[in-house]
Amino acid sequence: MFPSETALALPSPSFITAAALWQNPVAIAWCHFDLQQWHQDLHHQWQLPLPLALQSAVIKRKAEHLASRWLAQQMLSTFDMPDFVLRNAPDRSPIWPAGIQASLSHSQQMAVVAATQHPLCIGIDVEQVMAEQTAQETVELLMNKAEHRLLETLSLPFALAATLLFSLKESLYKALWPQLHQPMDFLQAELIELNVPEGRAALRLTQDFSASFNTHTVLQAEFWQNADRIITLVTHPLSGNKKPAQK
């Protein structure tokens, strides 16, 4: 999925089927998991307890929780925190250690985690490419007219382009939630730049949320795609750590 990634050792039994880590300024780890191989004992065996709120959840939800917590633990071990267990705040957002900025996502038996010690807002998202009909149904909810025109100029199938836009906005929301704790809808940020060959994009807020996050705020993004999945990453300097403007 990523260039020069390092395979991660897989635990036994075979619930986790593949996993790797990409060490970049923002490290990204991913794993595939097999729903059919999940069982309750793994949470105890791996010392990654299943929260009470998920005890009666469907297997899919329990498997996603276990895979993402296992992956988060592998990621944090690279920051010398091998016994870290990821838990959630009352608003269900993940609680990361002090000094670590991180984000996670899961979709269709794949989980991804991004983390850094740099002073950055960070959001990551993975999505299965939506069906063409679904993409058409998202147009009014997901994109403004300028974004719609931009997507139609791309040499990408519209469903793939719409999934990319959806994922970029999901990553932006995840990056800003720890700073704002405010809900956002899809039209409160707009795609203003997209470079498909380089896997880079930029989004601008269309609403003032705070002094640091207003209609002048542009956030940078990266993305990676294969035949059926898209991963997006949005990063932005934390307030007080913005780079000086270039003269």
Side-chain angles (χ1 to χ4, degrees):
M1 180 65 76
F2 299 98
S4 305
E5 61 185 19
T6 302
L8 294 174
L10 303 182
S12 180
S14 55
F15 169 63
I16 304 294
T17 60
L21 172 69
W22 184 41
Q23 290 282 16
N24 216 29
V26 173
I28 299 177
W30 62 267
C31 73
H32 291 295
F33 56 95
D34 184 352
L35 288 178
Q36 303 302 317
Q37 296 297 320
W38 175 89
H39 58 82
Q40 191 84 22
D41 293 345
L42 287 178
H43 293 271
H44 175 73
Q45 182 178 331
W46 295 355
Q47 298 183 39
L48 296 170
L50 185 68
L52 289 176
L54 292 181
Q55 293 293 334
S56 60
V58 298
I59 289 178
K60 175 179 180 292
R61 183 70 188 91
K62 293 177 180 178
E64 290 171 343
H65 184 275
L66 179 60
S68 61
R69 269 55 189 176
W70 176 84
L71 190 62
Q73 191 169 76
Q74 306 313 299
M75 173 65 82
L76 269 294
S77 69
T78 67
F79 295 93
D80 297 323
M81 302 177 190
D83 299 321
F84 173 75
V85 177
L86 180 62
R87 291 182 168 84
N88 286 57
D91 65 6
R92 298 180 60 190
S93 61
I95 302 173
W96 302 101
I100 299 291
Q101 318 303 324
S103 180
L104 68 84
S105 179
H106 46 71
S107 175
Q108 298 295 322
Q109 302 188 69
M110 182 178 187
V112 292
V113 175
T116 184
Q117 289 179 305
H118 296 294
L120 295 171
C121 307
I122 180 173
I124 196 167
D125 185 66
V126 57
E127 297 291 340
Q128 191 87 357
V129 176
M130 62 182 73
E132 181 66 29
Q133 180 178 346
T134 304
Q136 295 296 337
E137 291 170 352
T138 68
V139 169
E140 292 187 4
L141 175 69
L142 177 60
M143 62 192 77
N144 61 31
K145 291 181 179 179
E147 290 174 310
H148 194 183
R149 288 193 297 269
L150 174 58
L151 297 192
E152 289 184 325
T153 67
L154 301 177
S155 59
L156 299 176
F158 185 73
L160 179 58
T163 305
L164 173 58
L165 181 61
F166 177 87
S167 186
L168 286 167
K169 292 190 175 185
E170 284 288 303
S171 287
L172 181 145
Y173 177 76
K174 292 180 181 182
L176 296 193
W177 176 261
Q179 313 306 316
L180 301 176
H181 293 281
Q182 295 184 46
M184 296 178 63
D185 67 42
F186 289 116
L187 299 182
Q188 289 174 328
E190 64 178 347
L191 181 67
I192 58 172
E193 295 178 19
L194 185 63
N195 187 320
V196 174
E198 294 185 7
R200 296 190 178 276
L203 300 101
R204 180 171 55 215
L205 299 183
T206 62
Q207 177 174 317
D208 294 336
F209 289 95
S210 70
S212 298
F213 296 99
N214 52 53
T215 54
H216 299 291
T217 304
V218 174
L219 298 98
Q220 301 300 318
E222 299 175 77
F223 60 91
W224 301 266
Q225 65 185 69
N226 59 20
D228 60 350
R229 281 191 176 90
I230 289 175
I231 295 174
T232 59
L233 175 72
V234 169
T235 57
H236 188 73
L238 285 169
S239 180
N241 290 281
K242 293 185 178 180
K243 296 179 181 179
Q246 297 292 323
K247 294 184 178 180

